Amino acid sequence: MPGRLIQGHNVRGPLEIEADVAIVGSGAGGAVTAAELSEAGLRVVVLEEGGYHETKEITTNALDMIQKFYRDAGTSVIMGKPNIIFAEGRCVGGSTVINGGMCWRTPERVLKRWYLEMGLDGFSPKETAGWFEKVEKNINVARQDPDTVSPHDLALKAGADRLGYKTEWNTRNQLHCAGTNNCAFGCPSGGKQSMLVSYLPRAMTRGATILSDTRVRRVIVENGRAQGFEADVIDRATGRPLHPVTVRAPVTVLAAGATQTPVLLQRQGICNSSGQVGRNFTCHPNAKVVAVMDRDIYGWKGVHQAVQVHEFLNEGLIFAAVFVPPALLAMSMPFAGDEMLEFLENVNRMVISGVLVEDTTTGTIRPGPMGSTLMTYQIDPVGFERVLRGIALVSEMLFASGAKRVYLPIHGLTHFDSPDEIHKIYRLGVKPTDVELLTVHAMSSCRMSADPRWGVVNPWGETFDVKNLFITDGSIVPTPIGLNPQETIMMLASRGADYIANEWGRLRRAA
Ligand SMILES: Cc1cc2nc3c(=O)[nH]c(=O)nc-3n(C[C@H](O)[C@H](O)[C@H](O)COP(=O)(O)OP(=O)(O)OC[C@H]3O[C@@H](n4cnc5c(N)ncnc54)[C@H](O)[C@@H]3O)c2cc1C
């Protein structure tokens, strides 16, 4: 079945497939691996739990798009005090279909950390440059055309500029982005170069088969080597298994993402001699602050996040503006009633900003009841201090740009009416449980390490315990990176794929 997309509803009975490489997951990690290995001449099959949705199906109906593209319709929660709202993709193209498109190379200080903390050699900026360049070319990483920059980006930047804080025009994976500001619900113009319109078509052109609506159950392991997957075609609406699927292949790749890859391994009880599967989970927590400006902004015009404030990057803080449709925004604010009505009357004048906080602690991922995923993460005092400082700094920037009021994600301290009030955040005894946090950057739950005692995969992504089983998704990122992660994940996947292609003869014989 070369070069085909097979959607679950077209499968009529059990399937048995032979391939060179079997991959679970079609997001940032899986799609890159699939394309690179198809281009190397290998027969690749990708199994994806989510459905396939073409660009022409993408609309601005956010609730409809969330149903189509998000795991659990975007209602997942990472447990802790506070709970953290979490969202990820579940569709052909994975989270890249709904992400904001920010693309950054892994900072040098982080690559150095990989060497110092995890013993990972071969990851200097010079040594990784070739893979980053390849990824950037394939997904067209570039700055926005100026006429697509949103007024909300310009408003945040104006405040940062006024205070002398360094900003950076974001590099994004887009080609002629039309600035519809619909990134988080899918790109209706096809301008965002998600996996759906970049690496996956590339893989299929070279013969890869993608099977959508197909959930992998387990890795086939024989004599200590992976030999493919057992999976089920599922009913898209109910998730009920319909037909069994077996894919046998000498090389097996897990790219189900940082929440699902460790769950698959733990349910099966493999790859965990180090005890590190599902540990070291980081999530780059995010707090949202909403300014009502002294002028109309129309934040829905122009692209999602064209600029970030990088002045405090070395303190683990980045800031950006992100438009959220009013219905979703209302659900996520810590107030209701008259205050909510007054709040919503000002939608035209809002700048919705976020502070992203580099992790200073780690959480866990475990299988939960009824096929669910149990995620835990308890923000530590250092991380919490960063959250408060981030909220204070972004409030300062928004007031400097003309905010009349800044709404906060804090129970008991819902807003500031002037920059003179910002200090209250440190005076009123705000506790972690008072603050609403969210995140979309899951990582490191099967981390890469040079030492089998401290990680799950070796520096090329092969698991220490099961031969010919590779992981190429966000779960292998060795440490927190403090920036949006997709380009780091794609670099690791591209590097891992090159290793598999180069070692193909040996890997096939060994199987
Ligand atoms: C709303 C949002 C905005 C974001 N914005 C940015 C941004 O601007 N820049 C950035 O760098 N990052 C961003 N990210 C994060 C980035 O998209 C992810 O870090 C990245 O896509 C993760 O890649 P991955 O391959 O690990 O997982 P994913 O891309 O999530 O792909 C995993 C795939 O595996 C599938 N899968 C899981 N389990 C199974 C199974 N058992 N069987 C079959 N298939 C399975 C899933 O359905 C999914 O499609 C954002 C994420 C979200 C959700």
Side-chain angles (χ1 to χ4, degrees):
M1 299 181 295
R4 286 180 56 188
L5 169 78
I6 302 169
Q7 298 195 63
H9 58 257
N10 290 323
V11 177
R12 298 278 172 260
L15 282 181
E16 293 200 5
I17 304 172
E18 297 272 337
D20 293 331
V21 183
I23 300 175
V24 48
S26 63
V32 170
T33 315
E36 295 294 349
L37 292 178
S38 302
E39 286 179 359
L42 303 182
R43 292 172 306 148
V44 172
V45 172
V46 180
L47 305 178
E48 167 55 57
E49 182 180 357
Y52 170 71
H53 302 284
E54 290 177 77
T55 297
K56 68 180 181 201
E57 289 177 54
I58 297 173
T59 71
T60 52
N61 181 337
L63 293 179
D64 195 20
M65 296 303 110
I66 287 172
Q67 288 288 345
K68 276 194 165 84
F69 292 126
Y70 280 69
R71 180 170 295 280
D72 299 327
T75 59
S76 309
V77 162
I78 301 171
M79 289 187 296
K81 292 180 189 312
N83 285 339
I84 302 177
I85 299 162
F86 172 70
E88 65 182 338
R90 197 192 69 131
C91 55
V92 172
S95 303
T96 69
V97 175
I98 48 166
N99 78 18
M102 257 60 64
C103 286
W104 306 110
R105 291 191 186 189
T106 322
E108 185 170 4
R109 70 177 172 92
V110 175
L111 296 173
K112 189 164 252 179
R113 209 175 149 184
W114 294 4
Y115 169 66
L116 289 175
E117 292 179 25
M118 306 310 298
L120 291 166
D121 232 342
F123 286 91
S124 68
K126 204 167 157 200
E127 287 162 306
T128 49
W131 288 295
F132 280 124
E133 277 160 22
K134 189 154 55 157
V135 166
E136 286 163 358
K137 185 163 165 281
N138 286 340
I139 57 172
N140 207 68
V141 174
R143 297 228 156 88
Q144 284 300 126
D145 294 338
D147 58 342
T148 61
V149 172
S150 169
H152 69 190
D153 287 315
L154 296 175
L156 178 66
K157 181 168 166 27
D161 288 348
R162 220 153 276 160
L163 294 164
Y165 295 159
K166 180 182 169 204
T167 61
E168 195 77 58
W169 290 111
N170 291 341
T171 42
R172 305 177 72 255
N173 52 324
Q174 51 84 29
L175 190 59
H176 306 308
C177 164
T180 57
N181 213 323
N182 206 58
C183 305
F185 312 106
C187 180
S189 75
K192 182 172 73 181
Q193 297 296 286
S194 74
M195 299 299 103
L196 186 63
V197 297
S198 59
Y199 272 103
L200 290 175
R202 204 181 178 102
M204 289 178 67
T205 312
R206 295 304 179 101
T209 296
I210 300 170
L211 198 51
S212 72
D213 310 284
T214 303
R215 185 166 56 223
V216 165
R217 240 183 295 124
R218 60 191 300 276
V219 179
I220 302 169
V221 183
E222 289 165 1
N223 302 320
R225 290 183 188 279
Q227 303 280 351
F229 292 118
E230 285 174 9
D232 295 294
V233 171
I234 57 173
D235 180 277
R236 196 178 283 183
T238 62
R240 204 167 48 85
L242 297 176
H243 310 292
V245 178
T246 307
V247 183
R248 294 194 76 91
V251 167
T252 305
V253 180
L254 286 167
T259 65
Q260 299 309 302
T261 287
V263 163
L264 270 170
L265 294 177
Q266 288 174 94
R267 283 198 203 285
Q268 200 175 337
I270 58 171
C271 294
N272 204 12
S273 62
S274 62
Q276 301 293 329
V277 172
R279 293 180 63 189
N280 314 303
F281 167 60
T282 62
C283 66
H284 207 197
N286 188 333
K288 181 167 40 54
V289 167
V290 184
V292 175
M293 307 300 284
D294 56 359
R295 57 196 185 274
D296 282 336
I297 295 288
Y298 305 119
W300 54 91
K301 292 185 176 172
V303 76
H304 176 105
Q305 288 191 56
V307 74
Q308 283 182 353
V309 180
H310 278 190
E311 177 73 19
F312 304 94
L313 197 54
N314 287 338
E315 283 185 47
L317 298 173
I318 53 175
F319 304 87
V322 185
F323 182 74
V324 181
L328 297 179
L329 182 62
M331 284 193 279
S332 68
M333 298 308 290
F335 46 79
D338 288 348
E339 197 170 358
M340 177 56 72
L341 286 178
E342 188 191 336
F343 173 75
L344 287 175
E345 275 170 7
N346 288 304
V347 161
N348 291 0
R349 294 196 284 143
M350 281 180 191
V351 175
I352 304 166
S353 296
V355 49
L356 281 88
V357 178
E358 187 170 329
D359 304 77
T360 50
T361 187
T362 59
T364 61
I365 305 282
R366 299 267 176 265
M370 300 167 71
S372 65
T373 304
L374 276 181
M375 301 174 275
T376 66
Y377 185 93
Q378 182 52 56
I379 195 151
D380 67 347
V382 180
F384 185 58
E385 187 61 30
R386 285 185 177 183
V387 171
L388 295 187
R389 178 160 165 72
I391 294 172
L393 285 166
V394 74
S395 302
E396 183 197 22
M397 288 179 237
L398 292 165
F399 280 120
S401 183
K404 289 290 171 207
R405 173 172 280 190
V406 173
Y407 287 93
L408 309 171
I410 301 176
H411 293 273
L413 181 62
T414 54
H415 60 267
F416 298 138
D417 282 324
S418 107
D420 297 340
E421 292 185 300
I422 293 176
H423 69 94
K424 284 187 188 168
I425 202 167
Y426 294 109
R427 303 283 167 272
L428 292 183
V430 177
K431 302 183 295 301
T433 43
D434 297 328
V435 180
E436 298 216 340
L437 296 176
L438 56 136
T439 186
V440 291
H441 292 170
M443 276 177 281
S444 304
S445 48
C446 294
R447 72 181 175 191
M448 180 181 277
S449 165
D451 185 331
R453 288 171 302 175
W454 296 109
V456 180
V457 297
N458 72 17
W460 296 104
E462 187 172 11
T463 64
F464 288 113
D465 291 2
V466 176
K467 293 294 157 210
N468 292 27
L469 178 61
F470 289 80
I471 308 181
T472 62
D473 58 26
S475 70
I476 62 173
V477 176
T479 68
I481 58 177
L483 277 172
N484 317 68
Q486 67 171 343
E487 201 177 319
T488 295
I489 296 167
M490 292 181 206
M491 177 276 287
L492 289 171
S494 189
R495 190 176 177 276
D498 275 2
Y499 175 82
I500 295 170
N502 293 337
E503 296 291 313
W504 170 244
R506 180 183 63 77
L507 291 166
R508 186 187 46 190
R509 279 193 302 280

